[in-house]
Amino acid sequence: MLICRQQQNNERGRRPSRCAAPEGNKVKDPDEGGDKPQDGAPPTSRFPGRGHSRPRRPEGRSKASGHDGGTARSGASQENKPSKKRRRRKRGRKVFARDNNAVNGHVANGAQPEARKAAGDSANGQARPQTSVTPGPAPGPAWIVREERTRGSPSRGSHLSPVYAALDLGTNNCRLLVAVPTRPGQFRVIDAFSRIVRLGEGLSANGRLSDQAMDRAVEALGVCAEKLRARQVRRTRLIATEACRSAENGPAFLARVAEETGLELEIIDRETEARLAVSGCGSLVERDTHGVVLFDIGGGSSEIALIDLSGRRSPRLANHIVSWTSLPVGVVSLAERFGGRHVTPEIFEAMIAEVGTLLEAFEGRNRLAHLARGERFHLLGTSGTVTTLAGLHLGLARYDRRRVDGLWMDDFDVDRMIERLLGWKFEERVANACIGADRADLVLAGCAILEAIRRVWPSDRLRVADRGLREGILSELMSEDGVWRRRGHRQW
């Protein structure tokens, strides 16, 4: 009996290291289900009498004892080997079972720090090599990203937050925002929709909305109605602007919308439109600003508001409007008059001159003359024109709202982007991802309106806003309901 045990001990001393797997004895990875180990991960070995595999430890160090783990032991260390082996196996099982992000003892990219700590580090403080991870798909539009984040991890108490919705049917676009209030003066978007419908197409020539344009708008509004019915909305405001305001058949069209979609839209006047544009951009005006000319270049009209902040500040930016105007010209109407596909420098100057004539009739244009040359004065633009210029300036492969909204551009940058667009052919504008086929024939008309504004109110800086009427509507609805009036916070 003693002789047999001594022979077994001698044979055990000649056996290969228990951490090395015999050649050709690779086993299934429990997370992969295949016979090959993961790329970049060390092979695993099957232990006799155990129905599981565990990760291989780094070479040259035993996690339990701190000694060499890949060599045979002799003498007194052999006597204590069984108990140490059980202890080490138990620890290995705990690590493997507890760390769902670890595969073969390694943690995939993006795992939490606690998971990386549980998987263990190798000798000399060097982290184990990570397995290769296939990159995920490119992020979608900004509002889709926000919606997915909301569904995946709702904030605490979000199920108790009231839901508000704002819809803006303009001359060129149909837009919807659904949001819940968060911190004072802010809200979180939970759903959105935007589609170019060109409701005002042909309006400047005929004075009426065409059947094709109304069909496109009704289809888009039907999508908005479905989104609103899917949520428990406390309050909504659904507005229509210049196209319905100036069209002869505008009221009849809104009656058709109510009958076919169930949405009751209101036609707002130009003063309300200017005020809502200012309310939507309040968070982009910094505290040390003294004067701002805010403009919204639309499809059928362009709103301009002069804001004086040199005195005592009010919580609402709209309270500081000292003068405003609504020009009866937008990108659609100007492009239809002068042509938007092939724009020469001469045609571009003629567009600027026409808008300049309208601005000369604006009696309150000099109300910010005492601030216009100072360092604390700037322009603030909210329209597809300025966001397109910002996308070109950043060299975006595709439009990204998160990078554009709030961007600062100096006058040299704006000049350079307008010159670039003037030098492009129509096909080149179509091919650009920040413009596309829907805006290629409108963008230079918008640049002409912007240039006319810049000549009346010269400024070294322009701030870009990818927001507008919808955000203004939401801010006013939430403020009226007092959702931010808690614990002494001011509403805006």
Side-chain angles (χ1 to χ4, degrees):
M1 188 70 176
L2 294 175
I3 295 176
C4 293
R5 182 168 297 177
Q6 183 175 3
Q7 288 177 351
Q8 290 176 359
N9 291 337
N10 292 337
E11 289 175 359
R12 185 178 301 168
R14 291 192 300 270
R15 288 177 184 171
S17 169
R18 59 184 176 81
C19 293
E23 186 68 20
N25 193 27
K26 295 175 181 178
V27 296
K28 286 188 177 182
D29 188 300
D31 288 341
E32 291 294 322
D35 291 330
K36 291 180 64 179
Q38 271 196 337
D39 293 339
T44 58
S45 61
R46 179 79 63 180
F47 286 86
R50 301 281 183 177
H52 69 280
S53 61
R54 68 185 178 106
R56 176 184 176 184
R57 294 199 180 95
E59 295 181 3
R61 187 171 181 84
S62 168
K63 185 174 181 181
S65 63
H67 296 146
D68 292 343
T71 58
R73 291 167 175 77
S74 60
S77 62
Q78 288 288 341
E79 296 177 2
N80 298 329
K81 183 175 180 179
S83 61
K84 288 185 178 181
K85 184 186 296 184
R86 284 194 297 271
R87 218 164 29 243
R88 283 192 291 268
R89 286 178 182 170
K90 185 175 181 181
R91 289 175 181 173
R93 286 200 307 277
K94 281 186 178 180
V95 170
F96 192 85
R98 184 172 54 224
D99 184 10
N100 294 328
N101 293 318
V103 179
N104 287 343
H106 298 269
V107 181
N109 292 335
Q112 297 298 322
E114 292 81 1
R116 286 194 289 269
K117 183 178 180 181
D121 296 331
S122 63
N124 300 325
Q126 296 179 354
R128 301 186 181 193
Q130 296 180 347
T131 57
S132 59
V133 177
T134 304
W143 71 265
I144 296 178
V145 173
R146 287 179 286 172
E147 169 68 5
E148 291 174 351
R149 187 183 301 126
T150 301
R151 291 176 179 173
S153 55
S155 60
R156 181 179 300 177
S158 61
H159 61 288
L160 301 177
S161 300
V163 179
Y164 295 82
L167 186 146
D168 169 25
L169 178 62
T171 305
N172 197 46
N173 289 277
C174 175
R175 298 186 177 106
L176 170 73
L177 272 188
V178 184
V180 295
T182 54
R183 292 181 295 175
Q186 299 183 20
F187 52 80
R188 175 167 49 87
V189 175
I190 61 174
D191 204 352
F193 174 80
S194 179
R195 180 181 295 177
I196 294 178
V197 295
R198 296 209 176 197
L199 179 60
E201 188 175 52
L203 176 62
S204 59
N206 304 320
R208 295 178 59 86
L209 303 175
S210 67
D211 293 337
Q212 296 82 2
M214 289 189 291
D215 291 342
R216 291 192 297 265
V218 169
E219 181 182 358
L221 290 169
V223 177
C224 296
E226 291 295 328
K227 287 181 172 290
L228 293 175
R229 280 193 286 268
R231 299 183 181 274
Q232 295 181 352
V233 182
R234 171 186 284 190
R235 289 186 65 188
T236 64
R237 189 173 187 185
L238 319 176
I239 65 171
T241 57
E242 183 63 25
C244 295
R245 193 162 52 214
S246 60
E248 179 184 340
N249 57 343
F253 166 67
L254 294 188
R256 175 189 168 186
V257 169
E259 181 180 355
E260 297 187 19
T261 68
L263 299 180
E264 299 282 348
L265 275 68
E266 62 170 314
I267 300 176
I268 61 172
D269 57 32
R270 291 186 173 94
E271 182 178 3
T272 301
E273 187 172 356
R275 190 193 76 244
L276 290 175
V278 172
S279 297
C281 298
S283 61
L284 293 182
V285 177
E286 298 175 347
R287 291 183 177 273
D288 61 348
T289 302
H290 284 176
V292 175
V293 173
L294 185 147
F295 59 90
D296 181 3
I297 303 174
S301 66
S302 298
E303 280 64 46
I304 303 173
L306 277 59
I307 305 170
D308 188 346
L309 298 166
S310 58
R312 184 176 179 180
R313 295 288 292 265
S314 166
R316 290 196 181 189
L317 186 65
N319 293 341
H320 296 274
I321 298 176
V322 294
S323 186
W324 68 274
T325 187
S326 179
L327 305 181
V329 62
V331 295
V332 175
S333 56
L334 198 63
E336 287 182 350
R337 179 178 176 122
F338 289 91
R341 295 174 65 92
H342 307 290
V343 180
T344 64
E346 293 75 18
I347 294 176
F348 188 69
E349 282 296 329
M351 291 181 179
I352 297 174
E354 174 151 329
V355 180
T357 302
L358 296 173
L359 287 173
E360 288 179 2
F362 175 31
E363 295 181 356
R365 65 181 182 276
N366 295 321
R367 294 291 300 274
L368 291 182
H370 61 295
L371 301 172
R373 293 295 179 181
E375 295 182 355
R376 298 185 180 182
F377 168 83
H378 66 85
L379 301 179
L380 177 57
T382 165
S383 67
T385 298
V386 292
T387 57
T388 297
L389 292 178
L392 293 177
H393 171 65
L394 294 173
L396 300 180
R398 69 175 183 179
Y399 185 78
D400 186 350
R401 180 191 184 275
R402 292 166 294 182
R403 296 186 60 185
V404 168
D405 187 44
L407 177 72
W408 287 99
M409 297 179 66
D410 59 37
D411 56 348
F412 174 77
D413 294 329
V414 178
D415 289 338
R416 188 163 51 92
M417 293 304 104
I418 293 177
E419 290 176 3
R420 178 184 297 181
L421 285 173
L422 273 173
W424 282 357
K425 296 180 180 179
F426 175 74
E427 293 74 17
E428 292 177 286
R429 299 197 298 269
V430 171
N432 186 273
C434 292
I435 303 174
D438 292 330
R439 296 183 181 273
D441 61 337
L442 305 177
V443 63
L444 283 174
C447 290
I449 299 174
L450 170 60
E451 184 61 23
I453 294 173
R454 294 174 67 212
R455 291 181 184 182
V456 176
W457 297 283
S459 175
D460 294 335
R461 300 182 301 156
L462 165 65
R463 193 163 202 186
V464 179
D466 188 350
R467 58 183 74 190
L469 301 182
R470 297 173 300 168
E471 288 81 2
I473 291 172
L474 291 174
S475 295
E476 292 197 352
L477 290 178
M478 295 177 186
S479 181
E480 289 171 3
D481 283 359
V483 296
W484 296 314
R485 194 188 298 119
R486 61 170 71 98
R487 295 184 181 180
H489 290 295
R490 292 194 303 179
Q491 290 189 34
W492 219 64

